[in-house]
Amino acid sequence: MMGSRAGAALALAAGGLMAAGCGGGAAEPSGGEESAPHGHVEGAREAAEPQWRLVLADTAAGSLHTLDPATEKAARVGEAAGAEEAATDGRFAYFSSGGSTTVLDSGAWTVDHGDHVHYYTAEPAVLGEVATGSGLRAAADKAVSALVSDAGIRFLDRAALADGEVVRTAADLGGAAALPYGERLVVAGRDGSVRVFDRSGASAAAAIAEDCPDPRGQAVTRRGAVIGCSDGALVVTGEGGSLKAEKIAYPDEGADPVRSFHHRPGAPVLAGAAGDGGVWVLDVAAGEWTLLDTGPAAAVSAAGEQMPVLVLGEDGRLSAYDPATGERTAQNRLMDAETAGASPAPSLTVDTARAYVNDPAADAVYEVDYNDDLRLARTFDLAFSPDLMVETGW
């Protein structure tokens, strides 16, 4: 069973914004709508800080599990036969078999009201399946979740998901990348065009003037929505019908474009592998790319502004880089090269306090303090193989 080998359990640091002006404690069901506390969600418990959960799949067994770092408890929560890929939009986790995707409500999420934030937990549950392809990616706003794969885009009604149902909304708009953003759906087509739709799928504005050849990778940050293109990154900002876009072109470094972005949720610094030679870092606020000379990477992620970029090398070493100087500032060997180079590759997720790396060969997940020279804070020993991993609660 699971244990902690790295000393006493550490309480997760409270990250993000505290819920100013909202009651702390649990939001328990009340006798009537008028007596329900502000932010009340039926059947959910409210907390004063982010409630991170790791969602994991044992691909051989076809089983899905959650791991709560705060309690160190793991639980089997469902099945996903033939799962090959995983993605998340913050609350819901998606496990693709290449032909269909199993949708899991992880039971951990955040609601941002602008001037304050609510954090919730509920019981996790498998909700159903939706037809998709390979290359799964996910993104969402309050109303719509978008699943992108080589089979097209599937838009899901987020309110229905919260009620336990998988309901498609909007048509398959035929794009290669899609982001729900600014109360609109921003869709990059395989022909390089970028169109804007309302949440029902109806055309909502003129096409964005900037093109995006060979769309690849997508992310939503506090500084705008980002779609990766073969010639740079397209950053979309604004609200409603006043969306605008700006291209941040790659510098002439001779490295391959990124194929996916990885970052701490919401943070405007993104990282992605630059082929076999290094890692691209995109600072959305500064409008700049930086190429890190890291060598081949099995997994990458960026912790945020003025924070390290983390790279799990194919040799099994986790390294931290200063994106401003390109200098490696810390390293820690977590696994051997055979494990780091396996397929599927290990995942690297970053939240406000910790980074997590799954090690299927050791039936373990490593918790790393990236603010303390990549100190191994805890090792979670599991009774299953964590082949796929995403983090929810944001």
Side-chain angles (χ1 to χ4, degrees):
M1 296 299 292
M2 181 180 66
S4 176
R5 297 202 298 254
L10 301 174
L12 287 180
L17 302 172
M18 294 302 293
C22 301
E28 297 296 338
S30 58
E33 184 177 346
E34 292 184 356
S35 61
H38 169 67
H40 170 74
V41 175
E42 189 70 32
R45 298 173 294 278
E46 187 170 359
E49 60 188 40
Q51 301 298 294
W52 308 110
R53 278 183 181 168
L54 300 175
V55 186
L56 309 130
D58 183 327
T59 58
S63 56
L64 300 178
H65 306 257
T66 57
L67 170 59
D68 184 341
T71 64
E72 301 187 325
K73 292 182 178 180
R76 183 166 179 160
V77 293
E79 315 297 322
E84 300 172 350
E85 298 176 303
T88 184
D89 59 17
R91 172 175 178 174
F92 302 98
Y94 306 95
F95 293 89
S96 171
S97 64
S100 66
T101 290
T102 298
V103 182
L104 173 78
D105 184 348
S106 75
W109 71 98
T110 296
V111 176
D112 189 347
H113 288 297
D115 62 343
H116 64 276
V117 182
H118 295 273
Y119 307 105
Y120 295 105
T121 60
E123 292 302 313
V126 171
L127 306 184
E129 295 185 356
V130 61
T132 60
S134 300
L136 185 68
R137 306 189 301 276
D141 65 5
K142 296 177 182 178
V144 177
S145 291
L147 299 183
V148 181
S149 72
D150 59 11
I153 304 169
R154 307 291 184 260
F155 295 103
L156 305 181
D157 185 310
R158 201 164 172 84
L161 290 177
D163 287 338
E165 295 184 86
V166 179
V167 177
R168 290 183 59 178
T169 182
D172 182 349
L173 300 175
L179 289 169
Y181 179 76
E183 301 180 3
R184 295 289 185 262
L185 305 176
V186 180
V187 178
R190 301 185 190 282
D191 61 357
S193 65
V194 182
R195 297 174 294 163
V196 179
F197 301 88
D198 67 20
R199 287 167 170 164
S200 70
S203 181
I208 287 175
E210 290 281 358
D211 64 354
C212 183
D214 191 15
R216 53 182 77 197
Q218 56 191 47
V220 177
T221 79
R222 293 189 301 272
R223 300 279 187 167
V226 182
I227 299 176
C229 317
S230 61
D231 59 354
L234 188 68
V235 180
V236 179
T237 57
E239 190 74 21
S242 60
L243 297 182
K244 61 181 181 178
E246 177 184 1
K247 179 70 67 66
I248 304 175
Y250 282 112
D252 187 15
E253 298 281 1
D256 292 342
V258 300
R259 298 219 67 89
S260 59
F261 290 117
H262 306 274
H263 65 128
R264 178 168 58 83
V269 179
L270 314 177
D276 294 330
V279 170
W280 280 115
V281 180
L282 174 62
D283 186 326
V284 178
E288 295 179 350
W289 290 96
T290 302
L291 182 63
L292 302 180
D293 183 12
T294 66
V300 304
S301 194
E305 294 172 290
Q306 299 181 344
M307 302 183 78
V309 172
L310 306 184
V311 179
L312 179 67
E314 290 185 348
D315 60 359
R317 287 186 302 175
L318 182 65
S319 298
Y321 289 85
D322 181 339
T325 65
E327 176 187 2
R328 181 163 59 188
T329 58
Q331 59 181 314
N332 189 348
R333 184 176 293 278
L334 297 181
M335 61 190 69
D336 60 29
E338 183 177 359
T339 299
S343 181
S347 298
L348 168 60
T349 71
V350 178
D351 61 35
T352 52
R354 296 288 190 264
Y356 296 93
V357 179
N358 57 320
D359 184 345
D363 292 349
V365 170
Y366 306 120
E367 180 186 75
V368 176
D369 186 345
Y370 58 81
N371 287 311
D372 189 15
D373 294 331
L374 301 183
R375 175 177 58 86
L376 181 61
R378 287 182 288 182
T379 296
F380 298 104
D381 294 320
L382 305 171
F384 58 91
S385 178
D387 302 299
L388 302 172
M389 180 180 75
V390 295
E391 185 175 16
T392 64
W394 46 278

